[in-house]
Amino acid sequence: DGYTALAARMLEHPLIEVRLNTPAESLAETFDHTFYSGPLDRYFDYRLGRLGYRSLRFEELRLDGDALGCPVMNYPDPEIPWTRQTEHRHLSPWRKPKSATTIVWREFSEPTSPGKSPYYPLRLAGDERLLSDYVALAKAEPGITFLGRLGCYAYIDMDAAIGRALLTAEVAIEAFTAPC
């Protein structure tokens, strides 16, 4: 059923608490451990400066029939303003479409600015120097694991991101359940 259903089932675990739109510095209580997947520089309130990110803008198209013939089509041509189109009906080929109309999402790459959601790290030369300073801060921070594209400031394909998350969970479970 896709990533959303996978994440929803994991978050139903009774020992997992999710808090959205809650800045870490506003939490009154302390936690044994935190897993942070937001932007690395934001965690430290940008005290060393901002790392560069790329954002996305999405445009929905409702079309007749099978528009792409595949789940995802990339457009690397600089003459085409969007970078990718996704037709979700092909992501679950075992399901029969309920209508002749299909939905295609176009992705447009945009610079990230304050207030825009970061999606991908840029990792330009200046970012690499700043990143090493943020990594040093992260290593000195007790009780936290930084993960994901934003927390690690790394471009990670989804299959690898899920693999890393599962490995992180295995290591954490082992560490948290080991006798002191």
Side-chain angles (χ1 to χ4, degrees), residues 10-18:
M10 285 190 289
L11 296 175
E12 289 170 359
H13 192 282
L15 295 178
I16 294 176
E17 178 182 345
V18 177

Side-chain angles (χ1 to χ4, degrees), residues 59 61 63-75 82-91 100 102-107:
E59 176 182 279
L61 303 170
L63 306 167
D64 291 328
D66 182 347
L68 300 179
C70 61
V72 178
M73 178 128 356
N74 294 312
Y75 295 86
W82 54 85
T83 55
R84 176 177 21 221
Q85 292 188 125
T86 303
E87 187 173 12
H88 288 270
R89 74 168 35 186
H90 295 292
L91 294 172
T102 191
I103 300 173
V104 173
W105 286 95
R106 282 187 178 158
E107 288 181 28

Side-chain angles (χ1 to χ4, degrees), residues 53-57 108-113 116-120:
Y53 297 94
R54 186 167 54 98
S55 190
L56 296 176
R57 178 176 55 84
F108 296 81
S109 180
E110 297 184 340
T112 301
S113 58
K116 280 197 163 259
S117 295
Y119 282 83
Y120 302 105

Side-chain angles (χ1 to χ4, degrees), residues 8-72:
R9 284 194 301 270
M10 285 190 289
L11 296 175
E12 289 170 359
H13 192 282
L15 295 178
I16 294 176
E17 178 182 345
V18 177
R19 295 186 190 182
L20 303 175
N21 301 313
T22 306
E25 61 274 3
S26 72
L27 297 173
E29 68 270 61
T30 59
F31 298 92
D32 293 335
H33 199 87
T34 300
F35 294 90
Y36 180 79
S37 61
L40 181 60
D41 53 346
R42 184 174 72 196
Y43 179 84
F44 293 103
D45 199 25
Y46 309 104
R47 77 174 85 153
L48 304 175
R50 288 184 180 266
L51 293 164
Y53 297 94
R54 186 167 54 98
S55 190
L56 296 176
R57 178 176 55 84
F58 298 92
E59 176 182 279
E60 178 183 332
L61 303 170
R62 291 183 180 262
L63 306 167
D64 291 328
D66 182 347
L68 300 179
C70 61
V72 178

Side-chain angles (χ1 to χ4, degrees), residues 92-169:
S92 303
W94 55 90
R95 292 183 177 164
K96 296 277 186 219
K98 293 180 181 174
S99 79
T101 302
T102 191
I103 300 173
V104 173
W105 286 95
R106 282 187 178 158
E107 288 181 28
F108 296 81
S109 180
E110 297 184 340
T112 301
S113 58
K116 280 197 163 259
S117 295
Y119 282 83
Y120 302 105
L122 291 177
R123 295 196 70 127
L124 302 174
D127 295 322
E128 292 298 321
R129 289 187 293 277
L130 190 55
L131 175 61
S132 67
D133 293 338
Y134 274 120
V135 167
L137 286 176
K139 286 182 178 179
E141 193 78 4
I144 186 161
T145 299
F146 295 90
L147 66 157
R149 282 182 180 164
L150 303 178
C152 295
Y153 197 71
Y155 183 89
I156 307 168
D157 287 327
M158 282 306 293
D159 60 332
I162 289 171
R164 282 183 175 194
L166 292 171
L167 180 59
T168 300

